[in-house]
Amino acid sequence: MTKSALFVSQTAEKGGAELFMLDLLAHGPRDWSGCFFEDGPAAKDLVAADRQPIVLSSGTNLSAVRREASALQMLGAAGTVWSLARELARTGKDYRAICANSQKALFVSALATRMIGRPLVWVLHDIITDPAFSRNTRRAAVLFANLFATRVVANSKATAQAFADAGGRSERVRIVYCGFDPAAHPQGTSAAGQALRRRFGLGDGPVVGLFGRLTPWKGQHVLFKALATLPAVQAVIVGSAMFGQDAYEAEVRQLATSEGLDDRVRFTGFQRDIADIMAGVDIVLHTSTHAEPFGRVVVEGMLAGRPVIATKGGGVNEIITEDCDGLLVPPSDPAALAAAIARLLTDRDFAARIAGAGRVTAVERFNISKTCADMAAVLDELS
Ligand code: UDP
Ligand code: GLC
C-alpha cells in the first residue's frame, strides 16, 4: 500500500523545526512517517509515540556542513548527499510525497524524488534572506526549490516573503503555522510558581523565563543587560546550545557573572517539560535579535496563560497583536525590554488581561488540529 507522506529531517536534535515535525506526526494521520539522517532524541521521541521512525545510515558527515558553508564544503558533501538520496529513494517509494523539513533534507529529497518520480514539498522554517545563511546556501536552496519542489510550505508569511525576495516562486508557497495541543499546556498557577522556585532554588521575587537554544540570535545577552537594571527580578534560561553552536554558552555565562546576576539567574540546560516550567514563571520572554521565522516559544508562553514579551518582526508580528495579547519590543534593546518587564510587574491587571487574551489567541489560531489539516490540504493539492 502507498502511504501518504514521508517527512524528512537531516537532524534528530530537537530544535523548533524538528518539534514541528514531531507534532505533525503525533497528531496527523498514521500514514505520515518521519525519516532522519541520523539517530537522536527526535527519532527516539517518535519511537516513544509509537511512530516508528526511519533512520538512514549514510548521513552522519552531513551534520558538519553548516548554513554558512562555502562552495567547497558544499561540494565535499555531494558524495554523502548522493548516498543518502539513494537510500531515501528506496524508502520513499512507499510514499505518495516526500516533505523535506530542512535545507539539507531538501537537497537529498530533491534527488530522491527525481529517482522515484514523487512530488517534493519543502517545509521551510527559516527566513533565508537572513545574513546567517551564506549566499551559496541561499542560492542553492532557492534553485533546488524552484527546480524540484511542487510546493513550499512556509511557517509564516515573513518566511514566505523572504523566500520570494530571494527569487523563490511564490505561487507555489502555502503557509502552515506551527500548532499545539492546548491540553498539553497547563495554565499558570501560584502552585506552579512555587514548584518552579523550589526546583531551581529561586527566591520569592518575580521570575521571568527565556526559552530556546543558546545561540547569539536568540538574544540571551539582551536579557542579561536588561536584568542588570532590574535588581528584584530573577530568571530561568531554559535551553542548551544546539547544532554545534557551543561557543556562545561560555560567553553568555560569563556575561551573567560580570553583570552580577549569578545569584538570580539559573541556566537549566535543555528541558523536556517546557509547558510546566512556563506555567511557573511570571513572564515569558522572547529576545531574538533577528526576525524570528515563527517563534514556537511565543505561542507556548501564551498557552501557559503567562504574559509574553517578544521581539518585534518576522513571524512574531503574525502571532501577537501588540498590547492586546502580548507586548512587543524592538530587537537588541535591553532598555525597552526592561521597561516592558517592569510595566507587567507593576500593572498586574494589565498583565493578567494580556495573558488571558494570549491564551485565547493561541488556542484559536495555533491549534495542532488546524496545522495537520492545513498540511493535509497541501498534500491533497499534489494528487
Ligand atoms: N525547547 C525545549 N526545551 C528547551 C528549550 C526549548 O523543548 O530546553 C523547545 C521550545 O519549547 C520550542 C522549541 O524548543 O518548542 C524552540 O522553537 P522556536 O520556534 O521557539 O525556536 P527555534 O529554536 O526553532 O528557532
Ligand atoms: C525554526 C525557526 C523558528 C520556528 C521553527 C518552527 O527553527 O527558527 O522561528 O518557530 O522553525 O517552524
Side-chain angles (χ1 to χ4, degrees):
M1 191 197 82
T2 309
K3 292 175 261 184
S4 167
L6 182 61
F7 290 84
V8 183
S9 170
Q10 103 268 357
T11 175
E13 285 195 71
K14 283 175 31 176
E18 296 72 41
L19 290 168
F20 167 86
M21 185 172 128
L22 292 180
D23 287 342
L24 271 186
L25 295 172
H27 294 270
R30 284 202 75 88
D31 68 349
W32 292 358
S33 306
C35 172
F36 300 91
F37 295 173
E38 60 189 11
D39 202 0
K44 292 195 169 45
D45 274 18
L46 276 190
V47 176
D50 190 27
R51 298 290 181 114
Q52 200 51 47
I54 296 154
V55 179
L56 303 186
S57 57
S58 32
T60 32
N61 26 359
L62 211 55
S63 310
V65 186
R66 304 263 159 230
R67 50 168 69 165
E68 61 279 9
S70 66
L72 203 65
Q73 285 167 321
M74 286 169 67
L75 205 64
T80 312
V81 168
W82 182 251
S83 314
L84 280 166
R86 286 173 42 156
E87 209 184 337
L88 178 60
R90 283 196 291 278
T91 301
K93 66 181 174 352
D94 294 339
Y95 295 84
R96 287 198 290 280
I98 306 287
C99 303
N101 198 53
S102 65
Q103 294 190 27
K104 287 177 201 164
L106 168 69
F107 300 136
V108 173
S109 304
L111 295 178
T113 48
R114 287 317 89 184
M115 292 174 194
I116 55 178
R118 298 287 189 280
L120 170 67
V121 176
W122 183 25
V123 187
L124 174 54
H125 294 276
D126 298 306
I127 291 188
I128 55 170
T129 47
D130 189 289
F133 293 94
S134 73
R135 210 165 55 146
N136 293 326
T137 316
R138 179 167 49 248
R139 280 188 176 164
V142 171
L143 181 72
F144 268 64
N146 284 349
L147 286 176
F148 302 118
T150 309
R151 288 287 174 270
V152 174
V153 165
N155 62 355
S156 67
K157 291 179 195 158
T159 295
Q161 184 60 52
F163 175 69
D165 292 346
R169 297 183 59 161
S170 53
E171 76 280 5
R172 295 185 187 168
V173 177
R174 304 288 179 272
I175 312 288
V176 177
Y177 286 126
C178 291
F180 303 82
D181 175 7
H185 292 263
Q187 290 201 64
T189 56
S190 56
Q194 284 155 16
L196 176 94
R197 285 171 176 78
R198 274 197 306 277
R199 176 169 165 184
F200 295 115
L202 291 162
D204 291 336
V207 182
V208 298
L210 183 53
F211 302 80
R213 285 180 277 148
L214 298 181
T215 184
W217 76 273
K218 291 294 180 182
Q220 283 87 1
H221 58 281
V222 179
L223 172 60
F224 293 159
K225 293 279 180 198
L227 284 180
T229 67
L230 297 167
V233 178
Q234 311 169 92
V236 284
I237 310 300
V238 185
S240 59
M242 289 179 123
F243 312 125
Q245 300 170 323
D246 298 324
Y248 179 66
E249 177 164 1
E251 213 177 284
V252 87
R253 280 180 180 269
Q254 177 54 42
L255 177 65
T257 303
S258 63
E259 294 289 350
L261 304 174
D262 284 342
D263 56 341
R264 54 194 174 97
V265 166
R266 299 289 179 269
F267 288 88
T268 73
F270 186 88
Q271 302 290 320
R272 291 179 67 97
D273 60 339
I274 292 299
D276 292 331
I277 302 177
M278 282 188 176
V281 302
D282 295 284
I283 303 172
V284 171
L285 302 174
H286 165 269
T287 56
S288 291
T289 60
H290 292 53
E292 181 76 49
F294 178 75
R296 292 173 58 88
V297 292
V298 173
V299 179
E300 289 166 338
M302 294 160 100
L303 282 171
R306 305 284 81 188
V308 176
I309 303 171
T311 294
K312 243 178 228 163
V316 172
N317 290 5
E318 297 161 45
I319 300 171
I320 286 183
T321 305
E322 195 164 4
D323 284 358
C324 288
D325 49 19
L327 297 191
L328 295 176
V329 291
S332 302
D333 188 340
L337 179 61
I341 293 172
R343 179 179 178 195
L344 290 178
L345 293 176
T346 313
D347 190 345
R348 293 286 185 160
D349 289 344
F350 175 62
R353 259 200 325 276
I354 296 271
R359 165 98 187 165
V360 173
T361 298
V363 171
E364 283 178 356
R365 296 188 47 224
F366 302 103
N367 205 297
I368 185 64
S369 54
K370 174 157 173 42
T371 302
C372 289
D374 290 349
M375 184 61 80
V378 175
L379 295 171
D380 282 348
E381 285 186 60
L382 306 175
S383 43

